[in-house]
Amino acid sequence: MARGQPSRREEAWAPLQNRRTEPNTKMKLIKYGKITLGILIMVITAVVIGLIASFVAYGKTPFYYHISFKVNNIDYNSKFKKPYSQEYMDLNNKIVSLIEEIFHGSKLRRQYVKSHVVQVNQVKGKLLIHTVLKFKSYLNAAKFQNRIETILREKLKDETGPLCIDPSSFTFSDIIMPEAENLLNICCGQRTITPSGNKIAGGLDAEEGEWPWQASLQENSVHRCGATLISNSWLVTAAHCFIRVSDPQGWNVSFGLLLNDPQTQRSIKDIIIHENYHYPAHDNDIAVVHLSSPVLYSSNIRRACLPEATYTFPPNSDVVVTGWGTLKADGTSPNILQKGLMKIIDNKTCNSGKVYGGVIKPGMLCAGYLEGHVDACQGDSGGPLVGKDSKGTWFLAGIVSWGDECALRNKPGVYTRVTYYRDWIMSKTGL
Ligand code: ARG
C-alpha cells in the first residue's frame, strides 16, 4: 500500500495511536518515579543503617564536667574532710538530688547520668563544693557543654531550696574521663554493677566490677596470693604470702576480673609485714603493700571500706570470699575470679573440739559452713572476706589466712580478723 494521504481507516487509527502514546508517557513517568523513589529509599536506608551502625559501634559519648560553688548557709567543719562522715554524705545527697532535679526537669533528662560531690573546702567559714557530673550524648561536645552550662547557671541562680547557693561563685569546666571516673569512684565499698543471680554452691565466676577491690599479688607474673585495695596506693594481704620472697622487686600486682587480661598493673614500693608474724605460726598473718604509683579508680577498680576497730560482723551473717585460688585442695587455678558466699562462724564454735579445738585466737575469724562445701583454698590467701552493712556498703572483715585442706566438714576457713588489726593498719598506712 502506497503512503500518501492517510486512508480514513488510518485517520481513524491516528487518534487511537495518539491515545495510546499518552498513557505510555504516563507509565514511563510512573516508572521513573518509582525508580527514583526506590533509589531514595535505598539511600535513606543506607544512611539510617550507617548511623545506627556508628551509634552501635561508638555509642553515646560520655562527657564529664567539674562545677564548684559556694553555699552560704552551712558552716564548714572538719567532718567535711572525710567523704564517709554523715555530714559529707548528707551534703552529697542534697547536692545530687538538686542536680538530678535540674536535669530531670530539662530537655537533657535522658543525657544526665550521675553526679557526685568530690571535695568540700572552706571559704570564710562557709562551704565551697566541688562536684563532678557525667552525661552521655550523641551531640557535638562544644554545643553540649554550652547547653549544660546554661542550664546550670540559670537553675542555680533561681534555686530557692534549702541550700543558699552564691551564683557569683559558680565555676564550670570540662574534665577528662579517667580523672573524672577516678573522682566518681572514690567511695569505698561501693560497686556500680548489680550482679545477677547469686546461688552459690561451691564457688561461682564473679562478674566484671563486682569485687573491684580484689587484687592479685604476683611473683614473676605468676599469681601467688590475693590482696585488697584499701586506698589508691595501699593493699592489705596476708603475711605468709611473703615467706619465700619478701623483696618488693620480686612482686607485682594486677587488677581486674581475669588473670590473663588485667585491667591495670602496678609494681610494689614497699611490703610491711606484721612484726609479730613468725612462720609457721598463723598469728598476726597480715601485711600491707605500698604500690609504686597510685591506681586511678574506675568502675572496675575501687577500694573496700576498712571497719572501725569496734565494728562487729555478727555471727551467722553473710560474707563473701573472693580469689583465684584452686577450685579444690591440690586442684587447678581459674583464670576468672571466683566468689563464695558464706557465713561468719563465732570463735567459740570455731574453737570447739570437733572444729579447731582451741587454736583460734582473738585476731582470727572463722567463716564458711560446718558442713563444708564452700571455702577459700590455696592461692586465695591474702584475699578479701567482705560483708555488707545495712546501707549496702562493703567492709573488709577478714584476710584469707589458713584452713585444714579446703571445704572439709568441720574445717571452715580461718581469716585474719581485720577489726583486731585496724590500729596496726592505721599505724603503717595512715588510713
Ligand atoms: N594458705 C592458703 C594460701 O596460701 C589459703 C588457705 C585457705 N584455706 C582454707 N581452707 N580456707 O592460699
Side-chain angles (χ1 to χ4, degrees):
M1 196 162 313
R3 291 175 164 246
Q5 283 288 328
S7 68
R8 285 187 71 90
R9 279 174 85 187
E10 276 175 325
E11 254 173 17
W13 266 103
L16 228 168
Q17 270 172 353
N18 276 345
R19 275 208 303 274
R20 248 204 245 145
T21 52
E22 227 179 69
N24 246 349
T25 336
K26 255 193 197 165
M27 274 166 68
K28 270 187 193 154
L29 275 178
I30 290 173
K31 198 171 150 195
Y32 287 137
K34 276 186 179 164
I35 293 173
T36 325
L37 197 71
I39 293 175
L40 210 68
I41 290 174
M42 269 159 64
V43 169
I44 292 173
T45 320
V47 169
V48 169
I49 290 177
L51 281 176
I52 292 175
S54 77
F55 284 161
V56 169
Y58 301 110
K60 287 186 185 177
T61 322
F63 293 105
Y64 299 89
Y65 306 105
H66 172 258
I67 62 170
S68 71
F69 50 85
K70 253 176 82 185
V71 168
N72 282 334
N73 62 337
I74 304 180
D75 291 331
Y76 182 85
N77 77 57
S78 60
K79 298 210 174 111
F80 287 117
K81 275 189 201 151
K82 291 204 167 182
Y84 314 107
S85 64
Q86 199 56 48
E87 281 77 1
Y88 193 109
M89 290 200 283
D90 289 347
L91 180 68
N92 180 61
N93 289 343
K94 277 188 200 146
I95 303 288
V96 170
S97 36
L98 172 66
I99 293 171
E100 262 169 21
E101 222 172 86
I102 290 178
F103 286 100
H104 286 167
S106 82
K107 285 199 174 127
L108 296 180
R109 74 182 70 84
R110 310 232 275 156
Q111 278 75 14
Y112 173 77
V113 179
K114 62 176 169 179
S115 51
H116 201 271
V117 171
V118 293
Q119 203 181 327
V120 181
N121 293 343
Q122 82 164 306
V123 247
K124 297 194 185 124
K126 302 296 176 195
L127 305 183
L128 177 64
I129 299 173
H130 298 267
T131 307
V132 169
L133 286 75
K134 179 179 180 180
F135 294 84
K136 269 191 168 181
S137 171
Y138 295 125
L139 290 178
N140 146 299
K143 234 191 229 166
F144 192 66
Q145 175 160 349
N146 233 316
R147 288 179 68 181
I148 302 286
E149 183 169 3
T150 311
I151 292 177
L152 281 168
R153 278 194 192 278
E154 257 171 33
K155 298 284 170 137
L156 290 181
K157 195 175 70 209
D158 302 337
E159 172 56 23
T160 51
L163 297 166
C164 175
I165 293 170
D166 174 359
S168 67
S169 65
F170 182 72
T171 71
F172 179 93
S173 59
D174 60 341
I175 163 172
I176 58 165
M177 178 153 104
E179 214 177 286
E181 282 293 333
N182 180 50
L183 293 169
L184 287 169
N185 290 300
I186 225 156
C187 290
C188 69
Q190 312 283 328
R191 57 189 183 195
T192 25
I193 71 142
T194 327
S196 52
N198 208 10
K199 36 181 184 5
I200 289 167
L204 267 189
D205 286 358
E207 287 170 50
E208 192 83 83
E210 197 180 355
W211 312 105
W213 38 82
Q214 172 85 51
S216 157
L217 270 177
Q218 311 193 343
E219 194 199 327
N220 292 324
S221 302
V222 177
H223 170 84
R224 294 276 179 233
C225 268
T228 306
L229 193 65
I230 52 169
S231 80
N232 61 0
S233 47
W234 286 97
L235 301 171
V236 64
T237 186
H240 81 258
C241 295
F242 305 107
I243 296 166
R244 285 189 321 111
V245 182
S246 62
D247 175 8
Q249 293 222 324
W251 293 89
N252 70 296
V253 181
S254 94
F255 297 89
L257 185 70
L258 304 174
L259 283 183
N260 66 0
D261 185 20
Q263 294 266 330
T264 192
Q265 288 174 293
R266 285 291 181 279
S267 46
I268 292 176
K269 187 150 67 174
D270 204 6
I271 297 170
I272 306 172
I273 296 167
H274 197 286
E275 28 301 90
N276 293 328
Y277 173 75
H278 303 294
Y279 178 77
H282 295 304
D283 307 67
N284 311 308
D285 192 6
I286 185 169
V288 286
V289 168
H290 202 182
L291 300 176
S292 57
S293 64
V295 288
L296 273 181
Y297 297 121
S298 68
S299 50
N300 299 328
I301 303 176
R302 308 181 69 147
R303 60 198 174 112
C305 299
L306 285 172
E308 298 291 318
T310 51
Y311 191 95
T312 44
F313 293 88
N316 213 33
S317 63
D318 286 336
V319 275
V320 179
V321 66
T322 48
W324 290 275
T326 55
L327 301 178
K328 56 181 189 207
D330 302 320
T332 55
S333 289
N335 175 45
I336 180 162
L337 183 67
Q338 303 290 302
K339 57 180 173 185
L341 176 67
M342 51 184 65
K343 306 271 185 194
I344 297 269
I345 298 171
D346 63 287
N347 279 25
K348 197 164 165 248
T349 311
C350 205
N351 259 332
S352 66
K354 62 173 183 162
V355 187
Y356 284 118
V359 297
I360 305 299
K361 307 281 175 60
M364 299 174 189
L365 174 156
C366 300
Y369 297 95
L370 293 181
E371 312 83 84
H373 304 308
V374 192
D375 193 6
C377 208
Q378 267 66 49
D380 286 323
S381 278
L385 175 79
V386 287
K388 223 178 358 179
D389 76 355
S390 57
K391 290 192 200 128
T393 304
W394 292 89
F395 284 84
L396 187 64
I399 301 164
V400 180
S401 178
W402 63 279
D404 193 347
E405 291 201 16
C406 305
L408 289 186
R409 192 182 175 78
N410 286 327
K411 302 294 167 203
V414 185
Y415 297 78
T416 307
R417 188 182 285 272
V418 172
T419 50
Y420 190 87
Y421 293 97
R422 184 64 187 89
D423 297 341
W424 182 85
I425 297 173
M426 167 75 185
S427 72
K428 302 298 172 187
T429 64
L431 297 167

Short mmCIF file of all heavy atoms in Angstrom, two decimals, residues 223-226 238 240-241 282 285 321 325-326 342 356 367 374-382 400-408 411-415, ligand 1:
data_model
loop_
_atom_site.label_atom_id
_atom_site.label_comp_id
_atom_site.label_asym_id
_atom_site.label_seq_id
_atom_site.Cartn_x
_atom_site.Cartn_y
_atom_site.Cartn_z
N HIS A 223 50.45 -15.67 89.57
CA HIS A 223 49.57 -15.38 90.71
C HIS A 223 49.98 -16.21 91.93
O HIS A 223 50.12 -17.43 91.83
CB HIS A 223 48.12 -15.68 90.35
CG HIS A 223 47.20 -15.63 91.54
ND1 HIS A 223 46.65 -14.46 92.00
CD2 HIS A 223 46.78 -16.61 92.39
CE1 HIS A 223 45.92 -14.72 93.08
NE2 HIS A 223 45.98 -16.02 93.33
N ARG A 224 50.16 -15.56 93.08
CA ARG A 224 50.51 -16.27 94.32
C ARG A 224 49.46 -16.07 95.39
O ARG A 224 49.16 -16.99 96.14
CB ARG A 224 51.86 -15.77 94.86
CG ARG A 224 53.02 -16.09 93.99
CD ARG A 224 53.53 -17.51 94.27
NE ARG A 224 54.64 -17.82 93.40
CZ ARG A 224 54.71 -18.90 92.62
NH1 ARG A 224 53.73 -19.76 92.60
NH2 ARG A 224 55.76 -19.11 91.85
N CYS A 225 48.96 -14.84 95.50
CA CYS A 225 48.07 -14.50 96.61
C CYS A 225 47.05 -13.46 96.17
O CYS A 225 47.26 -12.76 95.19
CB CYS A 225 48.88 -13.89 97.75
SG CYS A 225 49.46 -15.08 98.98
N GLY A 226 45.98 -13.36 96.93
CA GLY A 226 45.04 -12.27 96.74
C GLY A 226 45.43 -11.10 97.63
O GLY A 226 46.33 -11.23 98.48
N ALA A 238 48.00 -11.10 103.34
CA ALA A 238 48.48 -11.97 104.42
C ALA A 238 50.00 -11.95 104.48
O ALA A 238 50.67 -11.87 103.44
CB ALA A 238 47.99 -13.40 104.17
N HIS A 240 51.90 -14.40 105.31
CA HIS A 240 52.53 -15.65 104.87
C HIS A 240 52.77 -15.69 103.36
O HIS A 240 53.47 -16.57 102.86
CB HIS A 240 51.75 -16.88 105.38
CG HIS A 240 50.54 -17.24 104.58
ND1 HIS A 240 49.26 -16.93 104.96
CD2 HIS A 240 50.42 -17.90 103.40
CE1 HIS A 240 48.41 -17.39 104.05
NE2 HIS A 240 49.10 -17.99 103.10
N CYS A 241 52.18 -14.73 102.62
CA CYS A 241 52.43 -14.66 101.17
C CYS A 241 53.91 -14.37 100.89
O CYS A 241 54.41 -14.66 99.81
CB CYS A 241 51.58 -13.57 100.53
SG CYS A 241 49.81 -13.93 100.64
N HIS A 282 50.33 -19.12 112.76
CA HIS A 282 49.38 -18.38 111.95
C HIS A 282 49.02 -17.02 112.54
O HIS A 282 48.29 -16.26 111.91
CB HIS A 282 48.08 -19.19 111.80
CG HIS A 282 48.25 -20.47 111.04
ND1 HIS A 282 48.78 -20.52 109.76
CD2 HIS A 282 47.97 -21.75 111.38
CE1 HIS A 282 48.79 -21.77 109.35
NE2 HIS A 282 48.33 -22.55 110.32
N ASP A 285 48.82 -12.84 110.86
CA ASP A 285 49.06 -13.09 109.44
C ASP A 285 48.52 -11.93 108.60
O ASP A 285 47.49 -12.03 107.94
CB ASP A 285 48.36 -14.42 109.06
CG ASP A 285 48.78 -14.91 107.69
OD1 ASP A 285 49.69 -14.31 107.09
OD2 ASP A 285 48.18 -15.91 107.23
N VAL A 321 33.82 -14.44 100.14
CA VAL A 321 35.26 -14.51 99.93
C VAL A 321 35.49 -14.59 98.42
O VAL A 321 34.70 -15.20 97.69
CB VAL A 321 35.89 -15.71 100.68
CG1 VAL A 321 35.43 -17.05 100.14
CG2 VAL A 321 37.41 -15.63 100.63
N GLY A 325 42.11 -18.67 93.82
CA GLY A 325 42.71 -19.88 94.38
C GLY A 325 42.18 -21.13 93.71
O GLY A 325 41.22 -21.07 92.91
N THR A 326 42.78 -22.27 94.06
CA THR A 326 42.39 -23.54 93.43
C THR A 326 40.94 -23.88 93.75
O THR A 326 40.41 -23.48 94.79
CB THR A 326 43.29 -24.69 93.91
OG1 THR A 326 43.25 -24.71 95.34
CG2 THR A 326 44.72 -24.50 93.45
N MET A 342 29.30 -17.15 102.16
CA MET A 342 29.36 -17.98 103.37
C MET A 342 28.93 -17.19 104.60
O MET A 342 28.53 -16.03 104.49
CB MET A 342 30.77 -18.52 103.53
CG MET A 342 31.84 -17.46 103.44
SD MET A 342 33.47 -18.17 103.53
CE MET A 342 33.54 -19.12 102.05
N TYR A 356 38.23 -26.54 115.47
CA TYR A 356 39.67 -26.34 115.53
C TYR A 356 40.25 -26.47 116.94
O TYR A 356 41.42 -26.14 117.17
CB TYR A 356 40.06 -25.00 114.89
CG TYR A 356 40.03 -25.06 113.35
CD1 TYR A 356 39.16 -24.27 112.61
CD2 TYR A 356 40.88 -25.91 112.67
CE1 TYR A 356 39.14 -24.32 111.23
CE2 TYR A 356 40.87 -25.97 111.26
CZ TYR A 356 40.00 -25.18 110.56
OH TYR A 356 40.00 -25.24 109.18
N ALA A 367 34.99 -18.42 108.97
CA ALA A 367 33.83 -18.25 108.08
C ALA A 367 33.72 -19.45 107.16
O ALA A 367 34.73 -20.04 106.78
CB ALA A 367 33.97 -16.96 107.28
N VAL A 374 31.68 -24.84 100.82
CA VAL A 374 32.16 -23.56 100.29
C VAL A 374 33.32 -23.08 101.15
O VAL A 374 33.19 -22.99 102.37
CB VAL A 374 31.08 -22.46 100.30
CG1 VAL A 374 31.53 -21.26 99.48
CG2 VAL A 374 29.77 -22.99 99.77
N ASP A 375 34.44 -22.76 100.52
CA ASP A 375 35.61 -22.35 101.30
C ASP A 375 36.62 -21.67 100.37
O ASP A 375 36.56 -21.83 99.15
CB ASP A 375 36.26 -23.60 101.92
CG ASP A 375 37.29 -23.27 103.00
OD1 ASP A 375 37.42 -22.09 103.37
OD2 ASP A 375 37.96 -24.22 103.46
N ALA A 376 37.55 -20.94 100.99
CA ALA A 376 38.69 -20.45 100.24
C ALA A 376 39.66 -21.63 100.09
O ALA A 376 39.47 -22.68 100.73
CB ALA A 376 39.36 -19.32 101.00
N CYS A 377 40.69 -21.50 99.25
CA CYS A 377 41.62 -22.61 99.08
C CYS A 377 43.01 -22.05 98.70
O CYS A 377 43.19 -20.83 98.71
CB CYS A 377 41.07 -23.56 98.01
SG CYS A 377 41.62 -25.28 98.22
N GLN A 378 43.95 -22.92 98.36
CA GLN A 378 45.31 -22.48 98.05
C GLN A 378 45.29 -21.42 96.94
O GLN A 378 44.69 -21.64 95.89
CB GLN A 378 46.19 -23.65 97.59
CG GLN A 378 46.97 -24.30 98.71
CD GLN A 378 46.06 -25.00 99.70
OE1 GLN A 378 45.20 -25.75 99.29
NE2 GLN A 378 46.26 -24.73 100.99
N GLY A 379 45.97 -20.29 97.21
CA GLY A 379 46.01 -19.22 96.21
C GLY A 379 45.01 -18.12 96.50
O GLY A 379 45.07 -17.05 95.91
N ASP A 380 44.09 -18.38 97.44
CA ASP A 380 43.15 -17.33 97.85
C ASP A 380 43.75 -16.50 98.97
O ASP A 380 43.27 -15.40 99.27
CB ASP A 380 41.83 -17.94 98.34
CG ASP A 380 40.99 -18.48 97.19
OD1 ASP A 380 40.99 -17.84 96.12
OD2 ASP A 380 40.36 -19.53 97.37
N SER A 381 44.79 -17.01 99.61
CA SER A 381 45.41 -16.34 100.75
C SER A 381 45.66 -14.87 100.48
O SER A 381 46.03 -14.49 99.39
CB SER A 381 46.76 -16.96 101.06
OG SER A 381 46.55 -18.10 101.82
N GLY A 382 45.47 -14.07 101.52
CA GLY A 382 45.70 -12.64 101.42
C GLY A 382 44.50 -11.90 100.87
O GLY A 382 44.40 -10.68 100.99
N VAL A 400 42.12 -13.90 103.94
CA VAL A 400 42.27 -15.36 103.84
C VAL A 400 43.62 -15.77 104.44
O VAL A 400 44.67 -15.27 104.01
CB VAL A 400 42.18 -15.85 102.38
CG1 VAL A 400 42.34 -17.37 102.31
CG2 VAL A 400 40.85 -15.41 101.74
N SER A 401 43.60 -16.67 105.44
CA SER A 401 44.84 -16.99 106.13
C SER A 401 45.16 -18.49 106.08
O SER A 401 46.15 -18.90 105.51
CB SER A 401 44.75 -16.49 107.57
OG SER A 401 45.91 -16.83 108.28
N TRP A 402 44.31 -19.32 106.67
CA TRP A 402 44.61 -20.75 106.67
C TRP A 402 43.35 -21.59 106.84
O TRP A 402 42.25 -21.07 107.03
CB TRP A 402 45.64 -21.11 107.75
CG TRP A 402 45.21 -20.85 109.18
CD1 TRP A 402 45.26 -19.64 109.82
CD2 TRP A 402 44.67 -21.79 110.10
NE1 TRP A 402 44.78 -19.77 111.11
CE2 TRP A 402 44.42 -21.10 111.30
CE3 TRP A 402 44.39 -23.15 110.06
CZ2 TRP A 402 43.89 -21.71 112.44
CZ3 TRP A 402 43.86 -23.77 111.19
CH2 TRP A 402 43.61 -23.05 112.37
N GLY A 403 43.51 -22.90 106.81
CA GLY A 403 42.40 -23.84 106.98
C GLY A 403 42.96 -25.23 106.81
O GLY A 403 44.05 -25.40 106.26
N ASP A 404 42.21 -26.22 107.32
CA ASP A 404 42.63 -27.60 107.17
C ASP A 404 42.11 -28.07 105.82
O ASP A 404 40.89 -28.22 105.65
CB ASP A 404 42.04 -28.41 108.33
CG ASP A 404 42.68 -29.78 108.43
OD1 ASP A 404 43.37 -30.16 107.47
OD2 ASP A 404 42.46 -30.45 109.46
N GLU A 405 42.97 -28.24 104.85
CA GLU A 405 42.58 -28.51 103.46
C GLU A 405 41.54 -27.48 103.02
O GLU A 405 41.61 -26.33 103.45
CB GLU A 405 42.08 -29.95 103.30
CG GLU A 405 43.22 -30.93 103.47
CD GLU A 405 42.94 -32.28 102.85
OE1 GLU A 405 42.02 -32.42 102.04
OE2 GLU A 405 43.69 -33.22 103.19
N CYS A 406 40.59 -27.89 102.18
CA CYS A 406 39.59 -26.91 101.74
C CYS A 406 38.20 -27.52 101.74
O CYS A 406 38.00 -28.62 101.24
CB CYS A 406 39.90 -26.42 100.33
SG CYS A 406 41.56 -25.74 100.15
N ALA A 407 37.25 -26.76 102.29
CA ALA A 407 35.82 -27.11 102.28
C ALA A 407 35.51 -28.45 102.96
O ALA A 407 34.50 -29.08 102.66
CB ALA A 407 35.29 -27.12 100.83
N LEU A 408 36.39 -28.85 103.90
CA LEU A 408 36.12 -30.10 104.64
C LEU A 408 35.06 -29.83 105.70
O LEU A 408 34.93 -28.71 106.20
CB LEU A 408 37.38 -30.60 105.34
CG LEU A 408 38.51 -31.17 104.49
CD1 LEU A 408 39.59 -31.74 105.39
CD2 LEU A 408 37.97 -32.25 103.53
N LYS A 411 35.83 -27.99 109.14
CA LYS A 411 37.10 -27.28 108.98
C LYS A 411 36.89 -26.04 108.13
O LYS A 411 37.30 -25.98 106.96
CB LYS A 411 38.17 -28.20 108.32
CG LYS A 411 38.44 -29.49 109.06
CD LYS A 411 39.10 -29.23 110.42
CE LYS A 411 39.06 -30.51 111.26
NZ LYS A 411 39.16 -30.26 112.69
N PRO A 412 36.21 -25.04 108.69
CA PRO A 412 35.95 -23.82 107.90
C PRO A 412 37.25 -23.03 107.68
O PRO A 412 38.28 -23.33 108.29
CB PRO A 412 34.99 -23.03 108.80
CG PRO A 412 35.27 -23.50 110.17
CD PRO A 412 35.69 -24.94 110.06
N GLY A 413 37.16 -22.03 106.84
CA GLY A 413 38.32 -21.18 106.57
C GLY A 413 38.61 -20.28 107.77
O GLY A 413 37.69 -19.87 108.49
N VAL A 414 39.90 -20.02 108.00
CA VAL A 414 40.28 -19.11 109.09
C VAL A 414 40.90 -17.86 108.45
O VAL A 414 41.74 -17.95 107.56
CB VAL A 414 41.25 -19.77 110.09
CG1 VAL A 414 41.50 -18.84 111.26
CG2 VAL A 414 40.69 -21.12 110.56
N TYR A 415 40.47 -16.72 108.95
CA TYR A 415 40.82 -15.43 108.37
C TYR A 415 41.49 -14.55 109.43
O TYR A 415 41.22 -14.71 110.63
CB TYR A 415 39.55 -14.74 107.86
CG TYR A 415 38.87 -15.52 106.75
CD1 TYR A 415 38.10 -16.65 107.03
CD2 TYR A 415 39.03 -15.14 105.42
CE1 TYR A 415 37.49 -17.38 106.02
CE2 TYR A 415 38.42 -15.87 104.40
CZ TYR A 415 37.66 -16.99 104.70
OH TYR A 415 37.07 -17.71 103.69
N1 ARG B 1 47.09 -20.78 102.98
C1 ARG B 1 46.33 -20.77 101.76
C2 ARG B 1 47.01 -19.91 100.71
O1 ARG B 1 48.16 -19.63 100.86
C3 ARG B 1 44.92 -20.36 101.98
C4 ARG B 1 44.22 -21.34 102.77
C5 ARG B 1 42.82 -21.09 102.99
N2 ARG B 1 42.29 -22.36 103.27
C6 ARG B 1 41.06 -22.61 103.60
N3 ARG B 1 40.66 -23.83 103.72
N4 ARG B 1 40.22 -21.61 103.78
O2 ARG B 1 46.45 -19.63 99.67
#
